[in-house]
Amino acid sequence: MSDRQAELLELLDHYGAGLYALLARLTLREDVAQELMQELFLKLHGTKDQGRIECWYAYARRVAINLAFDWRRRQSLRRTCSLDALSERASETDSPLGQLIASEELEQVLAAVGRLHGASREVFVLRHLQQCSYEDIAEQLGKNVHQ
């Protein structure tokens, strides 16, 4: 086994569950998260300029976020039905319509996040989906908390 393969297996051991959970949260589908997880590790294996990457987890997380939003973008092109006409909820119960509206609202939020680029998208995902503290985010991105 090559050093590169060993590094990827170690990354999978330490961070695989977290990366999978992130993909599942961003796509809202476990089957898609499984496929994207495979695509993620294929991309990581084929990465050029591997010596320039300082933190493989941060790089893998960024690639995973990009893969998930690329998948969402492709799916939005296929969508034909929308609930844009419904601007507010009729009730706060867990009726099927209420669940559908909540699901559609979540889809709209994730679509808006998908339009963000680079660090803005990554910070939003880390803060609101991964629920990382500002200090953790700053450390992972190599910035100070105020940035």
Side-chain angles (χ1 to χ4, degrees):
M1 182 177 346
S2 71
D3 290 340
R4 180 74 208 113
Q5 290 172 332
E7 286 178 6
L8 284 176
L9 287 176
E10 185 176 330
L11 180 71
L12 180 61
D13 283 344
H14 287 102
Y15 302 109
L19 290 168
Y20 175 79
L22 174 64
L23 289 169
R25 282 188 208 114
L26 291 174
T27 61
L28 303 176
R29 292 185 47 190
E30 289 188 29
D31 59 327
V32 173
Q34 291 173 359
E35 290 175 21
L36 291 179
M37 193 72 175
Q38 292 175 2
E39 190 174 339
L40 169 65
F41 278 89
L42 287 173
K43 282 189 177 279
L44 292 176
H45 189 311
T47 300
K48 296 186 180 356
D49 295 333
Q50 297 173 0
R52 296 177 52 197
I53 298 172
E54 294 178 23
C55 178
W56 276 100
Y57 173 63
Y59 182 76
R61 184 185 60 238
R62 183 171 293 147
V63 171
I65 291 169
N66 290 338
L67 284 172
F69 282 105
D70 287 346
W71 177 84
R72 295 188 65 71
R73 202 171 296 112
R74 286 190 306 270
Q75 295 306 307
S76 69
L77 295 175
R78 295 181 191 160
R79 267 197 144 154
T80 57
C81 180
S82 175
L83 293 178
D84 289 335
L86 298 174
S87 60
E88 62 183 67
R89 295 180 183 192
S91 71
E92 294 297 320
T93 64
D94 286 342
S95 69
L97 179 59
Q99 292 174 354
L100 181 63
I101 292 170
S103 173
E104 181 66 22
E105 288 173 347
L106 182 57
E107 290 284 341
Q108 290 174 355
V109 168
L110 289 173
V113 173
R115 290 189 295 271
L116 296 173
H117 296 285
S120 299
R121 180 191 302 174
E122 190 168 0
V123 168
F124 185 90
V125 168
L126 288 171
R127 178 67 182 148
H128 297 287
L129 293 177
Q130 297 290 94
Q131 298 181 348
C132 294
S133 70
Y134 292 114
E135 292 79 14
D136 289 341
I137 294 169
E139 181 182 325
Q140 291 180 30
L141 297 178
K143 307 276 184 184
N144 65 44
V145 177
H146 299 290
Q147 291 175 323

